[in-house]
Amino acid sequence: MEPGQILLSCLLVLSLSLVEISTDSSLNSTQESRAGKLISMFQIVKFKNEACAAGGVRNGTCYTGDECKTRGGSSAGSCAGGYGVCCAFTLSCGATTVENCTYLVETGSASTISPCKYTVCPCSRDICRIRFDFMTFNIKGPVTGTAISDPAMTAATTEGGAIGDCTTDTFTITAPGNFAPPLICGFNSGQHMIVDASPDKCNEANFGLVGGGTRNWDIKVTQYACGDEQGGPDGCLQYFTGTTGTVASFNFPTTASILEPSTTHLSNQQQSMCWRQETNTCAICWIPEILGTDQITGSFGISTTAGGNKARGETDGKCQGDYLLIPDAQSDVATEDADTFVVGSIGSDVRLSDRVCGRQLSSANDNGDRRMSLSVCTQQRPFRMTFKTDADEVTLTSTSAAPNSAASNELSRIPGGIVGFNLRWTLQACS
Ligand SMILES: *[C@@H]1O[C@H](CO)[C@@H](O)[C@H](O)[C@H]1NC(C)=O
Ligand SMILES: *[C@@H]1O[C@H](CO)[C@@H](O)[C@H](O)[C@H]1NC(C)=O
Ligand SMILES: *[C@@H]1O[C@H](CO)[C@@H](O)[C@H](O)[C@H]1NC(C)=O
């Protein structure tokens, strides 16, 4: 892609369309004078190249019919009061786009699709952020483990090095000159990634698929101009707005109502999540969307638990390999419910932590209070959280190794330490 070409594509904010009137040499004077009046009102129709509805969940960009054709889009209905067409852009493997609002769509057999590379180039020099919304995202998942509750651990595994690794399918997005998103695989529908863009450099989205079977994805790519708040702050892989929602680790089965003990997060993650501070909000709280109890997997489980035979939450120094980074995290046993956190208060049994991990989400001081998930909140702004994982899960070094506890094996006890997270977040009003 030539820089010149990049420049041309989305800097043109206005489309021009001439409404032409035919002038016929066989006209008599009366007709000519009428035509003259019409020509004096010669119209130049201008409209913005805005988003438009292109049918179903798709959006397109409003262009003239000719522009749409030249740019390689397909017309999906009219816009701008009939003067434009809603131009939809769908990219196939191997292709390049310089258009805002392009969809990367594929369904089919892995053996014929792979490898699949899309090149997304900034549609002007003024693009700072490019957002990939995974409307559908199904590729093969990582090596999984299975947590078991029996302390005797007959099914003990030594495969901690492989658990969470994307050894078959992979997805990456490059970010030349900037921090690249983590490599992911598995189920990621509903997730998104935003990368920092560089002028004159394109970002590549790469799927590597191994083995047979079908895969499918439908990814919307939106480009944001520098200074456009919708793109989120630089460096934020994910950006959330509004006052409540959910946030999950990649490959989390967010649509499942009951979680299997084989729910497994990915290795080598660096997932930075950022929230917009909505008007009159002063804190943010997270709580597992599915609360785990003893023996039942909830939507939180990250790393070992120092407490040995009790699956509980851990903080700070106990969180080394895999953890959530939340500056000044606090959870108050009196405010287990995410909706009742009192901004400005430091309740009883509160420990301010920067890292949380373990089998329950909790930063309570008391070990007993760490045996269930609590709401974890922070008043630090901007509202941020980072999920970090290393290459390995902690399992046994040999199948005969002892002791076999939650402290030495992430698969010992349920909830396991391999789960990852799916948390409901709620912004808290200022008091
Ligand atoms: C011009 O053409 C119109 C329509 O054909 C006709 O009604 C009119 O009489 C013509 N005028 C002259 C001056 O020929
Ligand atoms: C799609 O376009 C419509 C305008 O037709 C807009 O209201 C809507 O927010 C757009 N959706 C997305 C996801 O951009
Ligand atoms: C791209 O489209 C979105 C709407 O889908 C819009 O908000 C954004 O401003 C557009 N980006 C540019 C650079 O025009």
Side-chain angles (χ1 to χ4, degrees):
M1 188 56 49
E2 298 296 316
Q5 241 173 307
I6 295 175
L7 261 178
L8 272 176
S9 318
C10 75
L11 278 184
L12 299 171
V13 185
L14 300 175
S15 282
L16 300 184
S17 160
L18 303 183
V19 177
E20 293 186 335
I21 291 149
S22 73
T23 44
D24 190 333
S25 57
S26 69
L27 295 177
N28 68 26
S29 57
T30 310
Q31 285 171 318
E32 251 167 19
S33 100
R34 200 180 286 155
K37 270 185 206 145
L38 281 172
I39 288 165
S40 73
M41 304 187 333
F42 212 89
Q43 298 174 57
I44 297 176
V45 178
K46 297 182 176 187
F47 56 83
K48 283 189 175 170
N49 298 128
E50 285 176 333
C52 49
V57 293
R58 292 280 151 83
N59 267 5
T61 304
C62 196
Y63 285 123
T64 64
D66 283 349
E67 273 179 309
C68 181
K69 224 172 276 169
T70 311
R71 288 166 180 270
S74 62
S75 158
S78 69
C79 53
Y83 286 109
V85 297
C86 191
C87 193
F89 296 92
T90 304
L91 216 58
S92 14
C93 295
T96 298
T97 183
V98 287
E99 292 295 336
N100 189 10
C101 197
T102 295
Y103 292 80
L104 319 179
V105 186
E106 194 63 64
T107 302
S109 161
S111 50
T112 57
I113 302 170
S114 187
C116 176
K117 177 175 93 175
Y118 299 100
T119 307
V120 177
C121 303
C123 65
S124 85
R125 289 194 63 84
D126 188 37
I127 297 300
C128 275
R129 304 271 292 162
I130 301 181
R131 176 174 173 131
F132 296 76
D133 278 290
F134 307 156
M135 304 195 309
T136 305
F137 191 114
N138 287 301
I139 63 176
K140 276 201 179 153
V143 174
T144 57
T146 300
I148 58 176
S149 54
D150 180 2
M153 286 291 288
T154 48
T157 179
T158 57
E159 288 190 333
I163 291 171
D165 295 358
C166 297
T167 52
T168 48
D169 291 358
T170 56
F171 175 74
T172 55
I173 305 177
T174 63
N178 296 304
F179 191 80
L183 181 153
I184 63 165
C185 59
F187 169 82
N188 290 290
S189 299
Q191 294 272 14
H192 70 275
M193 287 184 175
I194 315 175
V195 296
D196 294 325
S198 301
D200 304 333
K201 299 238 173 71
C202 303
N203 301 70
E204 286 175 9
N206 291 289
F207 283 92
L209 314 170
V210 177
T214 60
R215 313 282 196 276
N216 60 321
W217 59 81
D218 190 335
I219 301 173
K220 182 186 182 196
V221 186
T222 310
Q223 307 198 6
Y224 291 102
C226 301
D228 185 340
E229 184 263 347
Q230 292 180 89
D234 286 0
C236 296
L237 181 68
Q238 297 188 310
Y239 183 53
F240 302 92
T241 59
T243 54
T244 187
T246 56
V247 60
S249 44
F250 291 104
N251 191 46
F252 199 96
T254 49
T255 53
S257 52
I258 295 173
L259 298 171
E260 301 295 335
S262 58
T263 304
T264 304
H265 71 71
L266 304 177
S267 305
N268 296 314
Q269 297 293 289
Q270 164 97 21
Q271 178 182 356
S272 71
M273 296 151 271
C274 305
W275 280 263
R276 185 168 70 189
Q277 186 184 357
E278 303 292 354
T279 309
N280 194 34
T281 59
C282 286
I284 182 170
C285 297
W286 298 268
I287 195 164
E289 180 73 346
I290 299 177
L291 287 171
T293 59
D294 192 22
Q295 311 297 322
I296 295 178
T297 302
S299 59
F300 181 84
I302 300 170
S303 82
T304 53
T305 294
N309 284 335
K310 294 292 180 195
R312 67 176 204 207
E314 296 294 351
T315 51
D316 294 336
K318 301 280 170 40
C319 301
Q320 289 300 327
D322 302 342
Y323 52 87
L324 283 174
L325 196 65
I326 304 174
D328 277 353
Q330 55 175 293
S331 54
D332 183 346
V333 287
T335 57
E336 287 162 22
D337 184 345
D339 296 329
T340 59
F341 179 78
V342 179
V343 169
S345 76
I346 302 283
S348 60
D349 191 27
V350 168
R351 169 185 298 206
L352 285 180
S353 313
D354 287 333
R355 295 181 180 189
V356 294
C357 67
R359 313 303 182 81
Q360 303 286 358
L361 181 69
S362 172
S363 71
N365 217 15
D366 179 74
N367 285 338
D369 290 333
R370 293 179 178 216
R371 290 203 200 131
M372 59 184 169
S373 280
L374 303 171
S375 173
V376 165
C377 309
T378 182
Q379 303 181 53
Q380 283 295 326
R381 285 163 256 162
F383 302 143
R384 300 229 162 140
M385 172 165 90
T386 303
F387 180 48
K388 278 184 70 91
T389 68
D390 61 12
D392 302 323
E393 297 304 295
V394 178
T395 58
L396 301 183
T397 49
S398 82
T399 46
S400 60
N404 192 1
S405 71
S408 59
N409 189 344
E410 292 187 38
L411 303 181
S412 175
R413 306 288 168 178
I414 289 177
I418 59 168
V419 173
F421 65 91
N422 183 25
L423 308 176
R424 173 149 298 273
W425 55 270
T426 312
L427 300 192
Q428 307 293 316
C430 304
S431 51

